[in-house]
């Protein structure tokens, strides 16, 4: 009963380093999303994938890239990490129809020093 | 600009008491409104989803109301428990697209603390 699994849970990067956050869901959902959550702010959408093979920018895409590897997996890449990217990152998935709920992973806490 | 405002920002209540959290939005055209519960260090978990035609929806001790005319929603928690301590997030989706998130606006959340 895994749902949405994110790895890693914690990560510390130096400015300029790159890394990829992994996300996998086992609910056969069509749509997947990446959000960031900063203290005192609501979740903000970085990128989403409405279905396998498609990706679209969200509200705050700059500095990030994504790959929808297959229906299960959706990764988020930071090519050159900056301190402003210190945040908690959440992956989510949903069936894709507008009135269905989204299921979230447990988050990745990323610190860029 | 689509906005979702939640109040209060934080709330402390005693175990067993009731409380009501508020959500006002300016998202248009309206598609649906969702309430999520987010425990510290965890991802959000859906409590309710309400569409335009729904005024009230319950999930155990949680009851959400929606007034689409005034663009207001509330989440009422009855007989609070220590496990209700969490952040409660209101999310409003605008019409358009076929995903949940392409046009969703998140509130900043209300942090609820239930004390024994």
């Amino acid at each position: 009963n895994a749902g949405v699994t994110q790895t890693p849970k914690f990560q510390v990067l130096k400015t300029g380093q790159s890394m990829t956050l992994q996300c996998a869901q086992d609910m056969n959902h069509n749509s997947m999303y990446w959000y960031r959550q900063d203290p005192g702010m609501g979740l903000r959408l970085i990128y989403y994938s409405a279905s396998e093979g498609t990706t679209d920018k969200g509200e705050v895409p700059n500095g990030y890239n994504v790959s929808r590897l297959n229906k299960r997996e959706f990764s988020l890449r930071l090519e050159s990490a900056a301190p402003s990217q210190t945040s908690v990152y959440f992956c989510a998935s949903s069936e894709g129809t507008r009135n269905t709920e989204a299921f979230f992973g447990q988050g990745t806490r990323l610190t860029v020093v | 600009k689509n906005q979702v405002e939640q109040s209060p920002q934080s709330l402390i209540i005693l175990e067993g008491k009731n409380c009501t959290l508020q959500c006002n939005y300016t998202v248009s055209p309206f598609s649906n409104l969702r309430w999520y519960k987010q425990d510290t260090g965890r991802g959000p978990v859906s409590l309710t989803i309400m569409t335009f035609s729904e005024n009230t929806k319950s999930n155990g001790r949680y009851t959400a109301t929606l007034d689409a005319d005034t663009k207001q929603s509330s989440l009422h928690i009855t007989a609070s428990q220590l496990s209700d301590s969490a952040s409660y997030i209101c999310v409003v989706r605008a019409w358009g697209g076929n995903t949940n998130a392409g046009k969703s606006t998140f509130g900043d959340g209300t942090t609820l603390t239930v004390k024994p």
Side-chain angles (χ1 to χ4, degrees):
Chain A
N1 195 20
V4 178
T5 303
Q6 291 182 233
T7 55
K9 287 188 171 57
F10 301 94
Q11 184 70 48
V12 178
L13 289 179
K14 294 183 179 178
T15 298
Q17 286 185 319
S18 62
M19 79 161 294
T20 300
L21 281 64
Q22 306 287 350
C23 175
Q25 52 93 7
D26 61 3
M27 295 172 283
N28 201 36
H29 285 167
N30 289 313
S31 300
M32 298 185 73
Y33 322 90
W34 276 105
Y35 296 91
R36 62 177 289 173
Q37 186 175 39
D38 301 300
M41 299 181 69
L43 280 89
R44 292 182 291 170
L45 182 66
I46 305 170
Y47 271 93
Y48 68 101
S49 171
S51 61
E52 185 179 357
T54 69
T55 61
D56 288 285
K57 295 179 180 179
E59 183 184 352
V60 288
N62 292 345
Y64 305 95
N65 286 302
V66 290
S67 295
R68 185 72 183 267
L69 304 170
N70 47 55
K71 192 171 186 179
R72 290 187 63 249
E73 298 173 289
F74 188 39
S75 62
L76 178 71
R77 183 160 178 84
L78 287 72
E79 291 291 350
S80 179
S84 61
Q85 294 178 305
T86 294
S87 187
V88 181
Y89 292 84
F90 288 98
C91 176
S93 71
S94 70
E95 289 182 357
T97 57
R98 63 179 185 269
N99 290 330
T100 58
E101 67 178 287
F103 293 82
F104 286 80
Q106 293 204 4
T108 295
R109 186 173 295 274
L110 175 67
T111 302
V112 183
V113 297
Chain B
K1 179 182 178 182
N2 290 336
Q3 288 188 313
V4 175
E5 294 186 357
Q6 294 187 241
S7 62
Q9 188 175 19
S10 62
L11 181 63
I12 301 173
I13 62 173
L14 292 176
E15 186 179 13
K17 298 296 186 182
N18 304 335
C19 67
T20 300
L21 314 180
Q22 299 291 343
C23 174
N24 296 339
Y25 61 91
T26 60
V27 176
S28 182
F30 176 85
S31 177
N32 63 56
L33 183 147
R34 288 164 280 158
W35 283 95
Y36 284 89
K37 178 188 179 189
Q38 184 176 21
D39 293 319
T40 300
R42 308 293 292 267
V45 175
S46 178
L47 294 175
T48 63
I49 302 173
M50 301 181 72
T51 59
F52 185 86
S53 60
E54 296 174 300
N55 299 119
T56 303
K57 182 169 279 190
S58 292
N59 178 359
R61 294 179 297 102
Y62 301 100
T63 300
T65 65
L66 174 65
D67 186 333
D69 291 331
T70 62
K71 298 186 178 182
Q72 296 180 325
S73 175
S74 64
L75 181 69
H76 185 75
I77 304 174
T78 303
S80 61
Q81 300 177 357
L82 298 179
S83 59
D84 292 332
S85 294
S87 178
Y88 292 84
I89 302 170
C90 176
V91 184
V92 184
R93 187 178 186 277
W95 188 271
N98 62 358
T99 72
N100 279 339
K103 298 180 186 296
S104 289
T105 303
F106 286 73
D108 291 347
T110 292
T111 300
L112 174 66
T113 303
V114 180
K115 293 194 169 184

